[in-house]
Amino acid sequence: MTYRELAAECEVIVCCGTGGVGKTTTAAATAMAAASMGRRAAVVTIDPAKRLADALGIGELGNDPTVIEGPWSGTLAALMLDTKATFDDVVRRHAGNDEQADTILANRFYRNISTSLSGTQDYMAVEKLAELHSSGDWDLVVVDTPPTRDALAFLEAPKLLTRLLDNAIYKLLISPSQGVLRAVNRAAGAVVRQLSRVVGAEVVDDAIEFFQAFQGMEDGFRERADATLALLGADSTAFVLVASPRADTIVEAKYFLDRLGKADLDAAAIIVNRVLPALTVDLARAEAIKEAHPSGPAQALVDHAAAAAGDDDRIADLLSAAPDATVARVPLLPSDVHDVDTLRHIAEILTQA
C-alpha cells in the first residue's frame, strides 16, 4: 500500500520512533495529506515543545482538537496531549457516579501516579486515540507517540491500569477488615506494615484510599483496554516508523521493527527524515575530481558524497529489515518546519511514496 493510500484509507496511523527524528512533523504532515484528500483528520502530539503549534501557525494547542484553517478540502485538527487532564477524563468516564470520581481525583496518591507513573504518558496517548476514534468526528486519527525506546510500551499501555488493579497487593489492600478473609487480612496487614516502613504510613493510607475508591471500575477499564488493543491490531490501523540516516537512530529503528514483529505487527511505512540531497556524482567520481582539481570546493564535494554514501548504506540496512514497507525519504531542510507551506511540501513528498 502506498503512503497516499495509507492516508486515504486508514482510520488510525501510529507514528513511532525515537525522539528527535521528526516524528511530530511526520504525524502532522500525514494528517495534512489526509485533509487535502477531503478527509476529517486529527493529529495528536505529545510534543510539549509546541513545534506542531508553531508549524501550523497557531499559538498553542490544548487537550481538545483545534481545527486549523487552510487550503485543504477536508478538516485538519490538532491537539497536544495533556496527560493529567486525559487521566481525569478517563476516571470520570468510568466512575459509577460523581462522588466516586471526585474521591479519586482528590486523592494524593492518584495525583502523583496520574503524572509520574511509568508509562502513564503512553497510556493516556492511547486513551486519547480511543476517545477520538470512537467519537465518530474523525475519519483518520494520527498519533505522535511518546519517544519511548520500547515500542511495545505504547501497545501494552491500555492494560497499564488494569494490571495495577489486578495486582495481588491491590487485592490484599482492598480486602475487608473483618469476616471470613481473616488470613488474607493478616497478609494485607503485613504488606501494609512493610510498605509503611519504606514509604511512610501517610503514603500507604493514600494508596489504600485510592484503590478502595476504584472498586467497581475494574471491568470498565478491562473492556476499554481490550477494545483499544483490538483497534491497534485492526487492518484499518497502520504503524509508521520514523527514523533519520544517523547510525544511532538506525539502530533504534531496527530495534523498533524487531519489537513490532514480536507483537505480530508490521511497519506499513518507513519515513527517513533529513536525508542529504542526492548528487549527480558518486564518491569515486568526487574523489577523481578532487585529484584533478585540488581545492576547497572539491574537498566539500568529496565530504558530501562520502556522507551521502554513508546515509545510503545505513538506510539500505534498515530497509532490509522491512522489505515490504513503503519508504519515503524526506530531504534535509535548511531549518526546522515552521510554517504550513513547508509542512504541505513534506506531505506531498510522503504521498508520492
Side-chain angles (χ1 to χ4, degrees), residues 24 45 47-56 58-61 80:
T24 300
T45 182
D47 179 13
K50 299 183 179 180
R51 285 196 294 268
L52 177 59
D54 293 340
L56 293 171
I58 56 180
E60 60 182 24
L61 295 170
M80 187 175 74

Side-chain angles (χ1 to χ4, degrees), residues 163-243:
R163 279 200 299 270
L164 185 64
L165 298 177
D166 287 336
N167 189 281
I169 293 179
Y170 161 69
K171 293 180 178 178
L172 286 174
L173 293 177
I174 65 171
S175 296
S177 58
Q178 297 178 358
V180 296
L181 298 178
R182 186 172 301 168
V184 173
N185 291 330
R186 284 198 295 270
V191 169
V192 169
R193 285 192 297 275
Q194 291 177 16
L195 287 176
S196 298
R197 283 196 289 270
V198 175
V199 299
E202 189 176 70
V203 174
V204 173
D205 289 344
D206 289 341
I208 293 174
E209 179 183 318
F210 165 76
F211 286 129
Q212 289 177 337
F214 251 92
Q215 289 187 78
M217 296 171 59
E218 298 92 333
D219 289 344
F221 276 99
R222 290 191 189 93
E223 292 171 4
R224 178 78 164 189
D226 291 342
T228 307
L229 286 171
L231 173 63
L232 291 173
D235 292 340
S236 57
T237 295
F239 287 83
V240 172
L241 178 63
V242 185

Side-chain angles (χ1 to χ4, degrees), residues 130-162:
E131 175 190 328
L132 293 169
H133 181 265
S134 63
S135 71
D137 294 334
W138 308 103
D139 301 318
L140 170 67
V141 180
V142 183
V143 184
D144 166 29
T145 61
T148 175
R149 185 172 193 269
D150 189 347
L152 294 187
F154 180 77
L155 301 175
E156 295 179 349
K159 290 191 174 181
L160 175 69
L161 194 53
T162 53

